[in-house]
Structure formats: structure tokens, C-alpha cells
């Protein structure tokens, strides 16, 4: 039988204590106010209206920035989830509070950057924040095993999304903003990755069952954002986060390379069946990614051909 939450968190406590110490040693102090280009800001005033011509950012990149920020805005509910799931007692409580303090900077710096550069419609952005935080829609893993599996993948996915968004910003400061946030997310991912790996050693059946549930139902924590489906499509079309990235940079590195599910031995029949479902799911995602990439390349070729034809006839 899988370990219950209390037993698993207690047995993991020494490992987590070491991971907290390592995280604090590796974390670097940084200040949002020293990175944001304040000199580019201006007094917007109550009659100010956003002009999309003020920014050279594509709608795809603007969607990514909006989703990145509004996801970070939901921090109170993420804290509530991990605090209730992993517990407030040491060393879990120390981690939850430190993680929250670091995550809080992310919304601060991204919002300040977007405000001074007027990269997006700030009125719509604030309406989106109100809608997102008012609903408080976040994943709620049912067990500690599920929580560890989910946050390991989620932190890695968030890091990749922030990093890829930054790479599409021609503004060097914007790149620095997103790279700095992505650096924090990488450290958070490493903490959860190693905690989940330790849990897999303590409770292989329970973790494999949880990995199966979380891998096959995984979704980025932004579904409560207004027009999320449209934003997600733009983000995928821009190559910031799509099926190919999800398979190659999230699922395979974690499920196959880190957790080594294909190599696990001694699993219960139920866990062994779950393992097979996970691996089949990875294969399906890989095939779907191949189809979507081919379709995107065909559309790009058709658009290029149409543009050349129009130019030739002009």
C-alpha cells in the first residue's frame, strides 16, 4: 500500500532539511527595483489609454507575458495548497515560507517591467488579475505523492516558459527580467525534483501511481486566466510552450531520465500497470507533437508563399 501523507512527510523530513539548506546556500540575492528600467516609465494618468503601436511585441509574446504574470499573481492559493499538503512543521514549513517569499518577487518585477514599458494593456491586465485571483483556481493534488510529482513538473515547465518568453524579447532588460525569474524557478524545480526522487525510493508504488495521475492530467496552472485557451494557442504557436517542449523538456527528462520509470523493479501489479500507462502517454504526446510541428511548418510555408506572391504582384 502507498504510504500515507503523515508517514511520508515525516520520513522525508531529513532529506527536505538538507534540500532547504542547499537551496539557501545556492540562492542569490536580487532586487526587482534594481532591474526594472524606471527611466522608461511615465505618468499615465487617469485618461491614459494603451496604444499597441507603442510596443513592438507580437501578440504571441504579449500573451506569454500576461499568462506568466497572472500565474504568479495566484501565489496566495499556491501557498495555501503546499502549506496544507506538505505541512507547516519543520522543515516543510521553512521551505513553504521561503518559496513564497521568492515567488512573490516574480509578480513584482514582471508587473513593474510591463508597466514602465507599456508592453501590454495595463487596464486589461488588472482586470485579468482581479478575475484570476478572485476565482483562486489552482491544482489541488490529493496526496503528498501527487503534490511532489505535480510541482516538480510544474516548476520546470514554468521555468521553461519564462526563459523562452525572455528569449523572444528584443529588449535586453526584458530578457534579464525573465531570465532572473527563470533562475528562481530552476532552483525551486531542483528542490522538488530531489524531494520527489527521495519519495520514489521510500514509496515506489505510491509515487508511480501519483506520477501516472499527474502526468496524464498535467496542465499549467493558468486555466483560471480570462481567455486562457486563446493565450495558450498563441504561446504554442510562438514555440514558447507546446507539445514538443512538454514531451522533450518536461516529461522525458523527468519520467525517463530522472525517475527512471522504465527501469523500476519490484512494483505492485497496480503500480506496474500505472507505469505502463505513463509510458504510453509519453508516446502519444510525442506523436501529437510531431503532427502539430508538421502542421505548423506547413502553415508557415503557405504564409510565406502567399506573402511572396502578393509581393510579386504588387
Amino acid at each position: 500500500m502507498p504510504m500515507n501523507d503523515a508517514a511520508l512527510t515525516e520520513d522525508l523530513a531529513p532529506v527536505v532539511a538538507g534540500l532547504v539548506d542547499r537551496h539557501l546556500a545556492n540562492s542569490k540575492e536580487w532586487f526587482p527595483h534594481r532591474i526594472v528600467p524606471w527611466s522608461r516609465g511615465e505618468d499615465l494618468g487617469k485618461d491614459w489609454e494603451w496604444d499597441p503601436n507603442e510596443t513592438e511585441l507580437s501578440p504571441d509574446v504579449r500573451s506569454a507575458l500576461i499568462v506568466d504574470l497572472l500565474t504568479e499573481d495566484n501565489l496566495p492559493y499556491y501557498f495555501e495548497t503546499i502549506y496544507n499538503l506538505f505541512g507547516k512543521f519543520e522543515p516543510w514549513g521553512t521551505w513553504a515560507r521561503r518559496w513564497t517569499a521568492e515567488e512573490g518577487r516574480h509578480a513584482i518585477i514582471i508587473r513593474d517591467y510591463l508597466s514602465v514599458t507599456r508592453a501590454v494593456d495595463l487596464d486589461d491586465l488588472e482586470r485579468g488579475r482581479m478575475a484570476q485571483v478572485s476565482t483562486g483556481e489552482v491544482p489541488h493534488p490529493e496526496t503528498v505523492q501527487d503534490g511532489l510529482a505535480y510541482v516538480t513538473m510544474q516548476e520546470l515547465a514554468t521555468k521553461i516558459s519564462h526563459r523562452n518568453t525572455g528569449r523572444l524579447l528584443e529588449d535586453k532588460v526584458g530578457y534579464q527580467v525573465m531570465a532572473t525569474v527563470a533562475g528562481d524557478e530552476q532552483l525551486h524545480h531542483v528542490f522538488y525534483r530531489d524531494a520527489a526522487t527521495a519519495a520514489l525510493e521510500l514509496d515506489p508504488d505510491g509515487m508511480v501511481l501519483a506520477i501516472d495521475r499527474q502526468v496524464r492530467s498535467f496542465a499549467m496552472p493558468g486555466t483560471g486566466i480570462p481567455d486562457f485557451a486563446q493565450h495558450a494557442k498563441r504561446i504554442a504557436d510562438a514555440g514558447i510552450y507546446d507539445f514538443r517542449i512538454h514531451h522533450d523538456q518536461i516529461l522525458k527528462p523527468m519520467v525517463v531520465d530522472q525517475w527512471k520509470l522504465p527501469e523500476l523493479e519490484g512494483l505492485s501489479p497496480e503500480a506496474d500497470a500505472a507505469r505502463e500507462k505513463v509510458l504510453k502517454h509519453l508516446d502519444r504526446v510525442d506523436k501529437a507533437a510531431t503532427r502539430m510541428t508538421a502542421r505548423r511548418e506547413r502553415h508557415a510555408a503557405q504564409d510565406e508563399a502567399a506573402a511572396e506572391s502578393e509581393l510579386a504582384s504588387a
Side-chain angles (χ1 to χ4, degrees), residues 10-308:
E10 182 177 354
D11 285 358
L12 281 174
V15 175
V16 170
L19 294 178
V20 170
D21 290 341
R22 185 186 68 181
H23 178 83
L24 295 176
N26 290 335
S27 299
K28 295 182 179 180
E29 186 177 58
W30 61 272
F31 304 98
H33 60 273
R34 293 189 180 275
I35 300 176
V36 174
W38 299 105
S39 61
R40 291 159 61 179
E42 63 182 45
D43 185 1
L44 302 179
K46 65 179 182 179
D47 296 325
W48 174 82
E49 293 186 6
W50 182 66
D51 182 356
N53 294 321
E54 290 187 4
T55 177
E56 297 180 354
L57 295 181
S58 69
D60 297 342
V61 178
R62 292 204 300 270
S63 281
L65 288 167
I66 290 169
V67 170
D68 286 345
L69 174 54
L70 296 186
T71 298
E72 299 288 355
D73 276 329
N74 239 12
L75 179 60
Y77 302 102
Y78 305 141
F79 170 78
E80 178 187 40
T81 297
I82 67 170
Y83 210 57
N84 290 337
L85 187 61
F86 300 132
K88 62 183 178 181
F89 300 108
E90 303 310 324
W92 294 98
T94 296
W95 167 253
R97 292 185 292 271
R98 173 70 186 200
W99 174 85
T100 302
E102 293 181 359
E103 288 284 346
R105 295 181 298 196
H106 300 171
I108 292 171
I109 192 171
I110 297 174
R111 175 170 283 100
D112 286 347
Y113 171 74
L114 294 181
S115 296
V116 301
T117 60
R118 300 173 299 284
V120 302
D121 187 331
L122 298 177
D123 291 348
D124 282 350
L125 185 68
E126 176 58 14
R127 293 187 186 104
R129 188 191 70 83
M130 289 295 293
Q132 164 82 335
V133 181
S134 294
T135 60
E137 183 176 329
V138 294
H140 291 285
E142 294 185 1
T143 70
V144 168
Q145 293 93 329
D146 283 275
L148 289 172
Y150 176 77
V151 293
T152 298
M153 294 186 292
Q154 183 268 323
E155 291 283 8
L156 179 57
T158 303
K159 188 247 340 207
I160 290 170
S161 176
H162 288 329
R163 182 197 64 192
N164 288 346
T165 300
R167 288 175 174 174
L168 293 179
L169 295 175
E170 296 182 1
D171 178 10
K172 291 183 179 179
V173 178
Y175 173 83
Q176 183 183 5
V177 167
M178 302 311 294
T180 301
V181 173
D184 272 2
E185 303 291 8
Q186 171 64 12
L187 291 177
H188 299 164
H189 160 67
V190 168
F191 175 93
Y192 285 123
R193 179 199 68 193
D194 291 350
T197 301
L200 186 60
E201 295 176 0
L202 289 170
D203 182 22
D205 285 352
M207 279 300 296
V208 169
L209 291 169
I211 290 168
D212 170 44
R213 290 189 292 265
Q214 295 305 315
V215 164
R216 290 191 296 115
S217 65
F218 182 82
M220 289 290 280
T223 52
I225 294 173
D227 301 320
F228 178 75
Q230 182 180 12
H231 288 309
K233 184 179 184 304
R234 288 175 177 169
I235 291 169
D237 289 343
I240 294 171
Y241 195 92
D242 58 12
F243 269 130
R244 176 51 59 203
I245 290 172
H246 185 58
H247 176 273
D248 293 356
Q249 300 183 40
I250 309 294
L251 296 183
K252 185 177 180 297
M254 292 313 309
V255 172
V256 177
D257 301 334
Q258 176 68 28
W259 292 327
K260 302 186 185 302
L261 255 65
E263 304 170 21
L264 290 181
E265 298 179 352
L267 295 174
S268 69
E270 185 181 7
D272 190 52
R275 185 240 310 268
E276 292 305 313
K277 286 189 289 185
V278 172
L279 297 178
K280 288 180 180 178
H281 179 76
L282 263 64
D283 185 56
R284 287 195 295 271
V285 173
D286 185 27
K287 291 177 179 177
T290 299
R291 291 193 299 270
M292 292 187 69
T293 300
R295 184 163 57 246
R296 188 180 302 153
E297 290 174 350
R298 286 197 304 271
H299 290 167
Q302 291 169 358
D303 291 343
E304 183 178 356
E308 290 178 353

